[in-house]
């Protein structure tokens, strides 16, 4: 079937069974029933209750709930209450952080124009945009949103800004002419107007061809709704660790229960011991600690101009290997800027050397200058505002020129002529000021201005001007030419003939200075930056070269070339490309998928509607807070409040630090729990009395361990954090010997606890259990300092530089001392007061872990 842009106006009207007088109200009613309202389908969101119960699907949480139930059944009500409180608290924290439902489709709806100017039964009227149907005739005017996808049947100087949809930063000149080419990208369909784009100039009339979910923006909405949420690397690793811990706990319980029954011990007593071991094996505070550490990371990110919408997104950035970034407004300033000036057969340095050129550029210009809250704002076409802005920086004010050189008449810009002309009063003469496409304007020039002299233009002049135009075009500059003449009276038929050529101006949407440094840092950190844009290849390549994203043009590919590649071919070759130009939303998703298929963790930055599906598909979507559409923000995991690409580097650094800190927290918690398991396992296997009661284990896990674990999550970034490559996403949580170190450190804690217990047995079982309880808790507090550094000596490297850890340890010691000195709590915990000698033994056993781990680190450093 032929596309609407390949049809003539008459063919389109016939195809849709309509006319320039519009549809009848009866026909509208029929079509509303057939096509539905011009709006997007709602995505069904989870309720808060559903989100709350989703928090209990984690394997570790399920094991905790089972442990709580068992504890309740066997009469340990205090244990049950404490475990369930932790589980519920963790669930509440999770819901609070993720309670913002996915509002992508709602945001898309908000962007749609609320009213549409239509012609029905030959009568012009305004109706709600949702009531539009295919075949409706719609009038488009400057400043209005396009309410549906339509084929233009009339276009008078019509310009439509489609940056949010196509990524093109400059408004597109529209016409009603037939396009012969087939399968062309959305951005090149000059006779089409697309829903949610903005009319910036002129007037047009279009016939609605698609509405709602069938529009180009509707297809994007559909893509967003179909993208499934994926687990982040952290979630996967924690789930893996949770399963490992849960299964280990069950295996240990079964072994211990079997040993006891085999030895002929009391079954109920062995069951209680097994439950104690299960409680010891599972770090009850782990889910809450991870959630809180991530939440603290979120607060840090806010201070660094980034808002995190989903907690795990902070950590995911830390292992990003590829950042796919939109160009317009993200890597560039989204503001056309004068870059080069050519006049008097040479390049000029500033406005002063090209006074006449900018005299014309300001008069032949429709920019409106307004003041809001003491600030000057320029309203109009980006290329025109760039000329006015450049002039104002050297005190050449368009407002003053307009007063002196009053505009008498004009010939508006026309996409066929590619020229704009104004007639301005100049004392007793009329000045004809013209700007437009260099090749067209040059053909209308008979003379040239050189310095203050006017002379006939010659072949050498034309050759130089064309060469300058080509040079600027190769630099991806948008080039405009300027000419003028003086006449006695206005004659529009003769106005654009025998002109005096004045010069050329090259403009571009320049790259952000801070983006250059950000790209450099990304490369140092082993992250590949990739530019994905709807702009033309020559522009994209020039910007990418300036930013340092690519070195060779072979690294750039267009959407048309991408269209001819299968997904398998793209997956195979994706690492060869650093720039993708003239791409559609579908292409962006394909690119992200190709990188992910190669095992990469992909971050996608963007600000337009067209970025939303890729933002959702990427491991982490990063939207721009200022220029970003609501759609991109709702689809993203992270929003940059300053629209600064450099902020993403800070986010990556923060993400890497958070992952490292969570690893430290988990390392601390697990080594402590292994110490507890070992103490109970050995005591049971050797038929000793229980060194620790279930309430002791729970108390240590939830109270004594929690504060230091949280404090470890607030460690500052290490100096080399951005000089190392991203970690392998397939790398296990316990890789690089961490698992072995955790077990070894747990053995040290367990042995120290049992030594204190056996010493205490010389006095009584209550004293022994009290000494084991306090040795276990204090040795863990000392051990918290050990895990601050992987290999470095903590004693020789600012042992107390983490003030949060200092406070956390002091608070834990204080709580333990309150339990120790208060008769009521001593009764609950079944402990007794210790004498000085016993306290010294507890102190020595507790501090031993510090020196044991320091010795191991010393061997590791020298190995």
């Amino acid at each position: 079937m032929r596309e609407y842009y390949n049809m003539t106006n008459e063919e389109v009207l016939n195809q849709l069974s309509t006319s320039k007088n519009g549809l009848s109200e009866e026909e509208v009613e029929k079509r509303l029933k057939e096509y539905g309202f011009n709006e997007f389908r709602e995505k069904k969101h989870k309720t808060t209750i559903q989100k709350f119960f989703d928090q209990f699907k984690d394997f570790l949480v399920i094991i905790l709930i089972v442990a709580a139930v068992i504890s309740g059944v066997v009469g340990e009500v205090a244990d049950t209450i404490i475990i369930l409180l932790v589980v519920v608290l963790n669930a509440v924290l999770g819901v609070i952080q993720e309670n913002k439902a996915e509002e992508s489709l709602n945001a898309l709806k908000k962007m749609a124009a609320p009213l549409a100017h239509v012609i029905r039964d030959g009568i012009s009227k305004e109706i709600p945009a949702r009531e539009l149907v295919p075949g409706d005739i719609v009038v488009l005017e400057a400043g209005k949103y396009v309410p549906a996808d339509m084929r233009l049947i009339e276009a008078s100087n019509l310009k439509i800004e489609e940056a949010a949809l196509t990524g093109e930063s400059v408004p597109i000149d529209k016409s009603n002419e037939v396009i012969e080419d087939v399968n062309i990208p959305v951005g090149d369909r000059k006779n089409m107007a697309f829903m949610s784009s903005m009319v910036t100039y002129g007037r047009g009339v279009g016939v609605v061809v698609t509405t709602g979910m069938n529009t180009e923006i509707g297809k994007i909405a559909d893509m967003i709704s179909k993208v499934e949420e994926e687990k982040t690397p952290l979630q996967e690793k924690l789930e893996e660790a949770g399963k490992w811990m849960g299964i280990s706990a069950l295996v240990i319980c079964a072994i211990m229960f079997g040993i006891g029954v085999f030895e002929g011990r009391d079954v109920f007593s062995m069951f209680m011991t097994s439950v104690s071991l299960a409680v010891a094996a599972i770090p009850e505070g782990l889910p809450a600690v991870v959630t809180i550490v991530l939440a603290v990371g979120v607060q840090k990110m806010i201070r660094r101009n980034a808002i995190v919408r989903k907690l795990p997104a902070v950590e995911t950035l830390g292992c990003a290997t590829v950042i796919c970034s939109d160009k317009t407004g993200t890597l560039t300033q989204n503001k056309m800027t004068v870059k080069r000036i050519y006049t008097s057969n040479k390049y000029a340095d500033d406005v002063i050397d090209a006074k006449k050129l900018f005299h014309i550029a300001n008069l032949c210009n429709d920019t409106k200058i307004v003041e809001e809250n003491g600030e000057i704002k320029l309203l109009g076409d980006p290329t025109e505002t760039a000329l006015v802005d450049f002039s104002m920086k050297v005190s050449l004010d368009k407002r003053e020129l307009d007063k002196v050189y009053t505009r008498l008449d004009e010939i508006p810009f026309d996409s066929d002529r590619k020229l704009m002309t104004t007639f301005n009063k100049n004392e007793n003469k009329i000045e004809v000021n013209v700007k437009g496409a260099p090749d067209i304007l040059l053909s209308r020039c008979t003379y040239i201005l050189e310095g203050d002299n006017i002379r006939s233009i010659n072949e050498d002049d034309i050759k130089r001007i064309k060469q300058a135009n080509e040079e600027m075009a190769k630099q991806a500059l948008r080039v405009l030419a300027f000419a003028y003449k003086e006449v006695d009276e206005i004659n529009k038929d003769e106005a654009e003939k025998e002109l005096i050529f004045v010069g050329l101006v090259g403009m571009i949407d320049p790259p952000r200075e801070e983006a250059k440094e950000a790209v450099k840092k990304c490369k140092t950190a082993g992250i590949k930056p990739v530019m994905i844009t709807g702009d033309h290849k020559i522009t994209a390549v020039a910007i990418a070269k300036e930013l340092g994203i690519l070195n060779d043009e072979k690294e750039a590919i267009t959407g048309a070339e991408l269209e001819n590649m299968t997904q398998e071919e793209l997956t195979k070759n994706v690492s060869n490309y650093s720039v993708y130009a003239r791409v559609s939303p579908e292409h962006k998703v394909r690119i992200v998928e190709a990188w992910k298929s190669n095992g990469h963790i992909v971050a996608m930055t963007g600000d337009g509607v067209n970025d939303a599906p890729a933002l959702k598909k990427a491991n982490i979507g990063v939207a721009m807070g200022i220029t970003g559409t609501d759609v991109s923000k709702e689809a993203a995991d992270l929003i940059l409040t300053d629209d600064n690409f450099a902020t993403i580097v800070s986010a990556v650094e923060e993400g890497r630090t958070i992952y490292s800190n969570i690893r430290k927290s988990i390392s601390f918690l697990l080594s402590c729990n292994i110490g507890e398991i070992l103490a109970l396992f050995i005591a049971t296997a050797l038929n000793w009395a229980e060194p620790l009661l279930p309430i002791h284990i729970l108390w240590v896990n939830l109270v004594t361990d929690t504060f230091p674990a949280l404090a470890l999550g607030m460690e500052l970034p290490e100096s080399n954090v951005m000089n190392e490559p991203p970690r392998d996403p397939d790398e296990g949580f316990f890789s690089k010997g961490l698992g072995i170190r955790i077990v070894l450190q747990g053995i040290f804690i367990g042995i120290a606890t049992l030594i204190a217990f056996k010493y205490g047995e010389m006095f009584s079982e209550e004293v022994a259990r009290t000494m084991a309880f306090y040795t276990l808790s204090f040795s863990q507090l000392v051990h918290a300092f050990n895990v601050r550094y992987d290999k470095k000596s903590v004693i020789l490297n600012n042992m107390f530089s983490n003030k949060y850890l200092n406070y956390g340890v002091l608070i834990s010691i204080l709580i333990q001392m309150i339990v120790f000195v208060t008769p009521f709590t001593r009764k609950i915990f079944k402990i007794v007061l210790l004498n000085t000698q016993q306290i010294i033994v507890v102190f020595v056993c507790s501090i031993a872990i510090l020196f044991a781990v320091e010795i191991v680190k010393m061997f590791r450093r020298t190995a």
Side-chain angles (χ1 to χ4, degrees):
M1 179 184 159
R2 290 169 67 203
E3 297 285 351
Y4 289 109
Y5 56 81
N6 296 136
M7 299 180 187
T8 63
N9 293 354
E10 291 72 24
E11 287 174 328
V12 174
L13 292 170
N14 290 335
Q15 179 77 27
L16 294 163
S17 302
T18 188
S19 70
K20 289 187 177 181
N21 288 325
L23 301 169
S24 66
E25 292 298 335
E26 287 180 350
E27 184 61 27
V28 169
E29 286 299 321
K30 287 181 189 174
R31 296 193 186 193
L32 270 176
K33 288 176 183 174
E34 182 181 352
Y35 297 104
F37 285 109
N38 179 33
E39 58 190 9
F40 301 116
R41 283 193 298 270
E42 288 282 358
K43 180 181 176 183
K44 194 173 180 181
H45 297 301
K46 289 181 181 178
T47 63
T48 303
I49 296 296
Q50 285 174 316
K51 285 183 221 159
F52 179 76
F53 283 109
D54 279 349
Q55 306 296 319
F56 297 95
K57 291 179 180 177
D58 183 82
F59 188 80
L60 184 60
V61 174
I62 292 168
I63 294 289
L64 279 173
I65 292 170
V66 171
V69 172
I70 293 171
S71 296
V73 169
V74 299
E76 298 293 337
V77 180
D79 296 356
T80 301
I81 292 170
I82 292 172
I83 294 174
L84 290 179
L85 276 174
V86 170
V87 169
V88 171
L89 175 65
N90 181 60
V92 170
L93 285 170
V95 172
I96 288 171
Q97 290 296 335
E98 295 181 19
N99 204 32
K100 283 191 176 181
E102 291 298 332
E103 294 175 354
S104 302
L105 299 179
N106 288 338
L108 281 162
K109 282 180 71 179
K110 288 175 192 173
M111 287 187 67
L115 294 174
H117 183 180
V118 299
I119 297 171
R120 286 181 177 170
D121 286 323
I123 300 169
S124 178
K125 62 170 78 172
E126 277 198 335
I127 64 164
R130 71 188 295 267
E131 294 176 11
L132 286 175
V133 293
D136 261 325
I137 304 299
V138 176
V139 178
L140 299 175
E141 297 166 317
K144 301 286 186 182
Y145 277 109
V146 178
D149 282 6
M150 57 187 71
R151 167 69 159 82
L152 296 169
I153 56 175
E154 290 180 27
S156 177
N157 304 318
L158 185 63
K159 289 187 180 185
I160 298 180
E161 193 264 302
E162 297 174 345
L165 186 65
T166 66
E168 179 118 20
S169 54
V170 178
I172 309 298
D173 293 314
K174 295 291 183 176
S175 75
N176 62 345
E177 299 297 322
V178 177
I179 296 173
E180 300 295 341
D181 296 337
V182 295
N183 294 327
I184 60 172
V186 170
D188 291 333
R189 298 175 193 175
K190 302 292 178 70
N191 59 9
M192 300 288 292
F194 300 103
M195 188 176 188
S196 294
S197 54
M198 168 73 83
V199 179
T200 61
Y201 196 82
R203 185 179 179 279
V205 177
V207 54
V208 174
V209 295
T210 53
T211 57
M213 297 301 288
N214 295 318
T215 60
E216 290 298 322
I217 202 170
K219 291 173 187 173
I220 295 173
D222 192 46
M223 287 166 64
I224 294 170
S225 65
K226 288 178 181 175
V227 175
E228 293 183 6
E229 296 289 337
E230 296 184 13
K231 287 181 180 172
T232 69
L234 178 64
Q235 287 172 318
E236 289 176 350
K237 299 306 175 193
L238 286 179
E239 191 171 284
E240 175 191 307
K243 285 180 181 177
W244 179 81
M245 287 182 282
I247 292 167
S248 299
L250 295 175
V251 169
I252 290 167
C253 287
I255 291 171
M256 286 305 302
F257 187 75
I259 290 172
V261 172
F262 180 76
E263 291 179 349
R265 298 187 190 182
D266 179 64
V267 174
F268 182 76
S269 175
M270 280 313 304
F271 184 75
M272 283 294 294
T273 303
S274 297
V275 170
S276 299
L277 273 170
V279 172
I282 301 168
E284 288 79 8
L286 177 58
V289 166
V290 171
T291 304
I292 293 167
V293 169
L294 284 172
V296 170
V298 167
Q299 295 307 310
K300 286 185 182 177
M301 293 297 291
I302 289 171
R303 290 195 291 271
R304 299 180 84 165
N305 300 313
I307 297 171
V308 178
R309 293 188 66 246
K310 297 166 188 172
L311 274 184
V314 186
E315 175 274 334
T316 313
L317 260 177
C319 57
T321 54
V322 178
I323 298 176
C324 295
S325 174
D326 185 50
K327 175 183 75 68
T328 306
T330 306
L331 290 166
T332 64
Q333 298 172 18
N334 198 20
K335 180 183 178 184
M336 292 298 285
T337 306
V338 172
K339 192 82 170 177
R340 302 202 77 181
I341 305 164
Y342 182 87
T343 187
S344 297
N345 280 329
K346 66 180 190 296
Y347 286 106
D349 295 325
D350 54 39
V351 175
I352 296 163
D353 294 334
K355 197 175 264 184
K356 185 62 180 177
L357 191 156
F358 280 90
H359 173 91
I360 300 166
N362 278 274
L363 292 175
C364 188
N365 193 311
D366 287 329
T367 297
K368 298 284 187 292
I369 302 172
V370 296
E371 285 194 35
E372 288 182 9
N373 301 322
E375 284 188 16
I376 290 178
K377 287 191 175 182
L378 305 179
L379 307 177
D381 183 272
T383 53
E384 292 194 332
T385 58
L387 295 167
V388 174
D389 183 54
F390 189 77
S391 302
M392 291 184 82
K393 286 174 181 174
V394 287
S395 302
L396 183 61
D397 196 318
K398 172 176 167 57
R399 291 169 294 186
E400 298 302 318
L401 282 172
D402 286 340
K403 287 177 186 175
V404 178
Y405 300 92
T406 310
R407 186 182 295 190
L408 303 173
D409 206 343
E410 66 184 89
I411 308 174
F413 179 84
D414 184 277
S415 56
D416 293 328
R417 286 170 34 254
K418 295 186 178 178
L419 298 173
M420 175 184 174
T421 300
T422 61
F423 300 90
N424 300 83
K425 184 181 177 183
N426 183 5
E427 296 178 352
N428 297 323
K429 291 277 187 180
I430 295 171
E431 200 169 84
V432 181
N433 294 304
V434 189
K435 78 166 185 284
D439 52 339
I440 302 293
L441 188 58
L442 193 55
S443 68
R444 308 287 182 98
C445 292
T446 310
Y447 307 96
I448 185 170
L449 181 69
E450 194 169 50
D452 294 325
N453 302 316
I454 299 170
R455 62 172 175 79
S456 296
I457 196 166
N458 57 44
E459 288 299 320
D460 191 42
D461 296 323
I462 293 169
K463 185 179 177 182
R464 287 182 183 178
I465 292 164
K466 286 183 175 179
Q467 187 177 346
N469 182 36
E470 285 173 15
E471 282 177 7
M472 286 193 262
K474 283 178 183 175
Q475 294 167 8
L477 302 182
R478 182 181 173 87
V479 185
L480 281 179
F482 298 84
Y484 81 108
K485 69 178 181 180
E486 290 185 344
V487 295
D488 294 319
E489 60 183 7
I490 296 173
N491 183 338
K492 291 187 178 182
D493 292 332
E494 298 296 317
E496 294 169 349
K497 297 176 183 176
E498 297 186 357
L499 296 167
I500 304 164
F501 183 83
V502 178
L504 306 171
V505 174
M507 290 166 281
I508 197 169
D509 178 11
R512 292 174 176 265
E513 283 302 315
E514 60 272 23
K516 293 180 187 178
E517 187 61 30
V519 167
K520 188 177 176 183
K521 285 184 179 179
C522 281
K523 289 188 171 183
T524 304
I527 302 166
K528 182 178 175 72
V530 175
M531 179 194 287
I532 305 178
T533 177
D535 223 331
H536 292 281
K537 185 176 179 180
I538 188 170
T539 307
V541 167
I543 295 291
K545 278 186 176 177
E546 195 171 342
L547 287 168
I549 289 175
L550 95 171
N551 301 313
D552 194 319
E553 286 188 30
K554 290 178 182 176
E555 295 174 50
I557 186 174
T558 64
E561 293 170 308
L562 192 62
E563 197 67 49
N564 294 323
M565 296 173 72
T566 64
Q567 190 61 25
E568 290 73 25
E569 288 173 329
L570 178 59
T571 300
K572 185 180 177 182
N573 297 299
V574 70
S575 58
N576 297 329
Y577 304 115
S578 299
V579 172
Y580 296 83
R582 218 74 184 136
V583 295
S584 69
E586 292 87 351
H587 294 149
K588 295 187 177 192
V589 175
R590 283 185 63 194
I591 294 161
V592 171
E593 284 178 338
W595 278 110
K596 288 173 73 176
S597 296
N598 282 294
H600 287 275
I601 299 296
V602 184
M604 168 74 185
T605 70
D607 57 3
V609 175
N610 62 326
D611 296 319
L615 289 175
K616 291 258 305 184
K617 189 66 183 174
N619 297 96
I620 179 161
V622 185
M624 302 297 123
I626 300 171
T627 59
T629 59
D630 286 344
V631 184
S632 64
K633 292 174 190 174
E634 292 300 335
D637 304 291
L638 193 75
I639 301 168
L640 306 183
T641 57
D642 58 356
D643 281 18
N644 191 338
F645 182 78
T647 302
I648 203 164
V649 179
S650 302
V652 169
E653 181 181 4
E654 195 63 51
R656 289 186 176 190
T657 302
I658 285 171
Y659 182 80
S660 173
N661 289 349
I662 286 176
R663 211 163 176 249
K664 289 173 185 176
S665 295
I666 293 175
S667 168
F668 168 70
L669 289 171
L670 292 188
S671 56
C672 293
N673 281 33
I674 286 172
E676 296 159 14
I677 292 169
L678 193 69
L680 282 172
F681 190 92
I682 291 174
T684 306
L686 297 177
N687 203 18
W688 294 354
E690 268 188 303
L692 297 162
L693 299 175
I695 195 169
H696 295 161
I697 302 295
L698 268 176
W699 182 257
V700 169
N701 283 0
L702 295 178
V703 180
T704 313
D705 289 358
T706 302
F707 292 116
L710 285 172
L712 286 168
M714 297 178 197
E715 285 280 337
L716 294 173
E718 294 186 27
S719 57
N720 63 341
V721 70
M722 288 301 285
N723 295 329
E724 295 178 353
R727 73 176 189 278
D728 185 346
D730 295 326
E731 182 183 278
F733 200 85
F734 303 103
S735 62
K736 298 178 181 175
L738 180 64
I740 295 170
R741 292 197 298 278
I742 287 172
V743 172
L744 189 62
Q745 291 160 6
I747 290 171
F748 291 153
I749 292 170
I751 290 172
T753 302
L754 289 175
I755 288 171
F757 177 72
K758 290 309 287 182
Y759 178 83
E761 274 193 326
M762 293 190 301
F763 302 94
S764 70
E765 192 173 297
E766 288 78 11
V767 169
R769 199 166 280 147
T770 304
M771 289 182 70
F773 177 44
Y774 277 91
T775 299
L776 178 68
S777 57
F778 289 148
S779 64
Q780 291 182 2
L781 293 176
V782 172
H783 179 53
F785 292 96
N786 280 327
V787 296
R788 288 190 63 204
Y789 303 120
D790 183 22
K791 282 187 179 180
K792 286 196 301 184
S793 165
V794 72
I795 296 173
L796 302 176
N797 287 279
N798 298 318
M799 182 170 176
F800 301 107
S801 59
N802 183 341
K803 64 179 180 180
Y804 301 107
L805 183 57
N806 299 338
Y807 294 145
V809 169
L810 286 173
I811 290 168
S812 295
I813 290 172
L814 182 62
I815 291 171
Q816 282 296 79
M817 294 315 297
I818 290 171
V819 170
F820 182 65
V821 301
T822 308
F824 175 72
T825 51
R826 282 205 305 272
K827 187 176 180 182
I828 292 174
F829 285 87
K830 297 175 184 174
I831 57 174
V832 295
L833 290 170
L834 302 176
N835 62 33
T836 305
Q837 185 182 349
Q838 292 159 353
I839 290 172
I840 290 171
V841 171
V842 168
F843 176 79
V844 171
C845 289
S846 301
I847 205 83
I849 182 70
L850 180 65
F851 298 101
V853 173
E854 283 288 297
I855 292 167
V856 173
K857 284 183 182 178
M858 185 178 68
F859 281 114
R860 288 184 64 215
R861 287 196 299 272
T862 55

